[in-house]
Amino acid sequence: MNRILKKLAVAALPMSLAAGCSDFLTGGELDTDPNRPLEPGSPNQLFVATQSAYWFNSTSEAVRAISMWMQQMAGTDRQYQSLALYDYVESEFDTPWIYVYGGGGLVDARKLQTLVAADKLYLGVAQLLEAMHLGHAADWWGDVPYAEAFTDQITPKLDPQLEVYAALQAQIDKAIVNISGGGQGPGAADLSYGGNSARWLALAHTLKARYYLHVAERDASAYAKAKAEAALGISSAAGTYSAVFSGSAGEENPWHQFVVRERTGYIKTGSTLVDTMKARNDPRLSSYFALNDRGVYQGAPQGAAFGPQFSDLSVGRRASGFDQPLVSFEENLLIWAEAAYRTGDEATALQKLNQERALYGIAPVVAAGPELLRQIMTEKYIALFQNAEVWSDWKRTCLPALTPAAGFSIIPARFYYPTSERQTNPNVPVLSGQPLRNPNDPANPGCDSQN
């Protein structure tokens, strides 16, 4: 955020004032600090920075925690055992906050927009990336800075979460107009879509559908809006928006960095997801997980100690060059299915559910009423493995039915605000004053024992 940049500038003042007293060691390159450039970088540099920051935030520590709380993965060693059991400190998620608000996040997305204003396609893509970063903030922390995030306000206020979602939708609407307006776009710098405007446009509609679901507990009309947007969203596997990793040093998938290179054994596959897939004979089991030391797939319960009896991620999923799906064709179909169900269109709901299952050769299901919703959400829980969206789905629907870790009665429903932000912004409440739920997640009589 701007206050971070200002503090860096203030810290540099004594050095600059001292230098002003003498012309010794001045001139040419000696007057240039490469760590504090006066000009923003090229559009493509900013595009790569902000998209890479979104990719990292969507595949690293925040998502690892969510995957454990949603019992897709399990913490099995050291601090990850504690984190899986909901024991974490206020500073646990400082880094995800920085990736949203710091350089590479919203700051660079907004700078990019000023540089590419004449290129409508590029402008629309930059606007959409801003909305995507903001979506993480609203999803994970609830009330967050936005209106004052790009102003001279050093201690920006927290905007109400539902207002942030509304602003996010308005931002995507602007992006849709501009993406449709022509231009060169990011071209080869865009490793996901290669600057393909049709794919960015479909992604924008799927994201609108996703975020409408996030407010549906507060606004029942959001389901109809989500259904309409999904109909315009990602329409094939080729349109899936993925984080692209070359596998080279510094360009590895963060899951690989964590489970292979840095923290082997800290996190294993979770028993809830593994057992759910085994019970269904789900063909994705081998693409998600590896066989254990006994030649079978076995997940760990939360808090279990590391051991070879628990399966790792599959070779493919833990590869350094695995391209992680972030917004997929499967998600769009299942958003469509749930939104259709919620609006009384069970025929479409069933058709979209079975269309998604057919992508993996899974036989169609016949279901109606609450069982149809359960099937949709279970399918989405599996299809969106390693995706933070599973947390939002579960908080809204309580599906699948998750039992908190042994000895606990609730599963975390939001992140604490980071220590670094609370200590410098008085608008951020102290830990004891923070809510257990975000505003879009009201008490749900159907799963209060879980959430």
Side-chain angles (χ1 to χ4, degrees):
M1 298 175 67
N2 283 354
R3 63 182 180 79
I4 297 172
L5 302 178
K6 288 177 182 175
K7 288 177 181 176
L8 291 173
V10 170
L13 280 176
M15 180 66 74
S16 62
L17 290 174
C21 298
S22 171
D23 60 4
F24 179 62
L25 290 180
T26 62
E29 293 184 0
L30 295 174
D31 283 336
T32 302
D33 181 353
N35 295 314
R36 286 195 300 122
L38 298 177
E39 297 298 327
S42 72
N44 283 356
Q45 287 173 324
L46 288 173
F47 172 80
V48 170
T50 191
Q51 183 166 245
S52 297
Y54 181 78
W55 290 352
F56 182 83
N57 231 6
S58 301
T59 56
S60 55
E61 59 194 91
V63 179
R64 289 195 297 268
I66 289 168
S67 73
M68 291 188 293
W69 295 345
M70 293 295 95
Q71 300 171 18
Q72 294 182 323
M73 300 294 288
T76 52
D77 196 13
R78 304 188 198 192
Q79 66 263 40
Y80 264 58
Q81 277 186 295
S82 299
L83 182 56
L85 297 176
Y86 327 136
D87 180 10
Y88 60 100
V89 297
E90 196 178 5
S91 61
E92 192 75 46
F93 301 108
D94 280 18
T95 300
W97 180 277
I98 291 169
Y99 271 92
V100 168
Y101 284 106
L106 289 171
V107 170
D108 282 352
R110 184 61 65 93
K111 286 180 183 176
L112 177 59
Q113 292 167 49
T114 65
L115 293 179
V116 299
D119 184 333
K120 294 302 182 184
L121 170 57
Y122 214 151
L123 175 60
V125 169
Q127 290 169 329
L128 188 58
L129 284 168
E130 178 179 320
M132 292 159 72
H133 281 291
L134 186 63
H136 277 334
D139 295 345
W140 297 344
W141 290 283
D143 298 350
V144 293
Y146 186 53
E148 296 181 348
F150 303 102
T151 69
D152 291 333
Q153 177 56 254
I154 295 176
T155 57
K157 67 182 179 68
L158 304 183
D159 297 314
Q161 185 197 36
L162 296 180
E163 292 181 14
V164 174
Y165 278 129
L168 184 157
Q169 290 284 1
Q171 176 77 354
I172 300 178
D173 286 338
K174 291 190 294 185
I176 287 171
V177 171
N178 285 314
I179 289 170
S180 304
Q184 296 298 311
D190 175 9
L191 299 180
S192 291
Y193 287 155
N196 185 308
S197 61
R199 290 184 179 175
W200 279 106
L201 190 62
L203 172 64
H205 286 291
T206 296
L207 288 170
K208 282 184 69 69
R210 171 191 279 189
Y211 294 126
Y212 276 131
L213 289 188
H214 290 195
V215 302
E217 286 186 275
R218 291 295 191 185
D219 178 7
S221 70
Y223 286 118
K225 295 173 184 176
K227 180 182 177 185
E229 294 295 337
L232 301 171
I234 298 171
S235 59
S236 70
T240 290
Y241 177 76
S242 296
V244 178
F245 301 104
S246 73
S248 301
E251 298 178 358
E252 302 145 304
N253 185 307
W255 282 92
H256 167 85
Q257 293 177 24
F258 191 83
V259 304
V260 175
R261 195 179 70 196
E262 297 172 356
R263 298 289 187 270
T264 300
Y266 276 42
I267 189 169
K268 292 282 191 172
T269 57
S271 58
T272 298
L273 179 57
V274 171
D275 292 348
T276 297
M277 295 180 73
K278 287 167 68 175
R280 292 160 44 109
N281 293 317
D282 196 295
R284 289 165 286 194
L285 193 63
S286 60
S287 68
Y288 285 4
F289 309 123
L291 297 170
N292 68 2
D293 62 334
R294 303 165 192 168
V296 298
Y297 298 104
Q298 183 175 341
Q302 300 306 311
F306 165 79
Q309 73 272 28
F310 300 129
S311 294
D312 286 310
L313 290 174
S314 68
V315 171
R317 284 271 171 168
R318 66 175 184 264
S320 61
F322 177 67
D323 294 340
Q324 198 89 38
L326 302 181
V327 190
S328 64
F329 178 40
E330 292 90 332
E331 180 183 352
N332 192 77
L333 287 171
L334 294 168
I335 289 173
W336 198 341
E338 184 194 352
Y341 173 84
R342 300 285 191 177
T343 53
D345 184 2
E346 290 198 10
T348 297
L350 184 62
Q351 189 266 324
K352 294 302 172 184
L353 168 62
N354 284 327
Q355 183 180 351
E356 191 277 339
R357 290 167 64 93
L359 297 176
Y360 300 98
I362 305 173
V365 66
V366 177
E371 175 60 17
L372 175 55
L373 179 63
R374 189 189 72 80
Q375 291 281 354
I376 292 168
M377 300 315 300
T378 300
E379 183 64 29
K380 198 174 181 190
Y381 176 72
I382 296 169
L384 269 61
F385 176 47
Q386 298 177 297
N387 191 310
E389 193 63 15
V390 170
W391 197 26
S392 293
D393 287 338
W394 179 79
K395 287 185 286 184
R396 183 180 67 257
T397 67
C398 308
L399 294 170
L402 301 179
T403 301
F408 296 86
S409 59
I410 62 171
I411 294 173
R414 64 179 296 276
F415 290 162
Y416 299 148
Y417 290 113
T419 310
S420 57
E421 188 71 13
R422 179 184 57 74
Q423 290 176 338
T424 55
N425 186 350
N427 294 308
V428 176
V430 298
L431 184 57
S432 62
Q434 295 180 28
L436 292 176
R437 289 182 169 93
N438 287 327
N440 71 329
D441 179 34
N444 188 330
C447 63
D448 273 355
S449 62
Q450 302 173 47
N451 187 2

